[in-house]
Amino acid sequence: MIDIKKGSPWVFWPSSICDTFPENPGNKILSGDQYFHLTFRLTLTDNSEEQKTLFALVPRFTGLDLYKDKMTLTVTCEDGPLYINLPLLVKYQEEVIISLEHSPKEFFRLFINNKVIHEIDLKEKIFGLSDSPHILIGAGNFPKNDFNLNYTDFSLHEFILKDRKEVISHHKFEEFIFDKSVDLTGNLNFIHKL
């Protein structure tokens, strides 16, 4: 487990460490034209009423924001962003499993505790494409950009990224090398603090 602290987000961007290492960086399947299933198991430790971004898939922003009485799923497609207001299902001090599933030309789904909360039909839409996608954990933007940060505090217990065939990145945050969380799959898809 890692404690994500306000102002200190983490990032899943293995190809930023070196574009040829690992051989098949896990973040590349988040490019918008491939299937992925992404899971975060976490416990919110921030009880403030400020807007909070749990995670953001960037540069084509797709993320989950928490507010006082609702949460908003933002999904950016090629024709622009969709903003979906949902009931607040991530509660202070309660462990929750949040998953995103993307199947090109089919659907984009948000799951909370393994239940489909919202589905977007992608038969007529294309999920936002990017050559170098990455996931910010605990922020909506890079601190250096100084806008849309929406920092929050939470404990991240587990991170899992799957393609159609297998788990390609799995973190329980029990082992670190040079401040990078070791990928349990052995695929070298590190998560590190910014």
Side-chain angles (χ1 to χ4, degrees), residues 7 9 17 23 30 52 54 75 97 111-112 123 132 139 148 153 161 173 175-176 191:
I17 297 168
E23 187 175 306
L30 303 168
K52 302 177 257 306
L54 293 177
V75 178
I97 299 170
F111 297 80
I112 303 286
K123 292 182 183 78
S132 188
N148 194 35
D153 295 333
L161 178 61
F173 309 101
E175 184 180 356
F176 295 83
I191 294 176

Side-chain angles (χ1 to χ4, degrees), residues 56-70:
L57 172 58
V58 290
R60 302 300 299 268
F61 189 94
T62 292
L64 189 64
D65 290 301
L66 307 180
Y67 298 85
K68 178 182 176 183
D69 57 355
K70 69 175 183 177

Side-chain angles (χ1 to χ4, degrees), residues 114-179:
N114 301 312
K115 178 181 175 188
V116 176
I117 302 303
H118 191 79
E119 181 172 326
I120 298 168
D121 184 341
L122 294 180
K123 292 182 183 78
E124 303 290 325
K125 290 188 169 298
I126 298 172
F127 185 70
L129 302 173
S130 172
D131 291 336
S132 188
H134 42 287
I135 301 169
L136 293 169
I137 302 169
N141 204 335
F142 285 93
K144 67 179 181 178
N145 294 333
D146 201 30
F147 70 95
N148 194 35
L149 299 175
N150 305 322
Y151 294 133
T152 191
D153 295 333
F154 61 90
S155 297
L156 183 57
H157 308 288
E158 193 169 20
F159 172 99
I160 303 170
L161 178 61
K162 301 176 186 176
D163 63 13
R164 286 197 192 275
K165 298 176 189 171
E166 62 189 342
V167 174
I168 59 173
S169 184
H170 187 188
H171 294 262
K172 288 192 175 180
F173 309 101
E174 296 169 344
E175 184 180 356
F176 295 83
I177 297 175
F178 302 113
D179 297 323

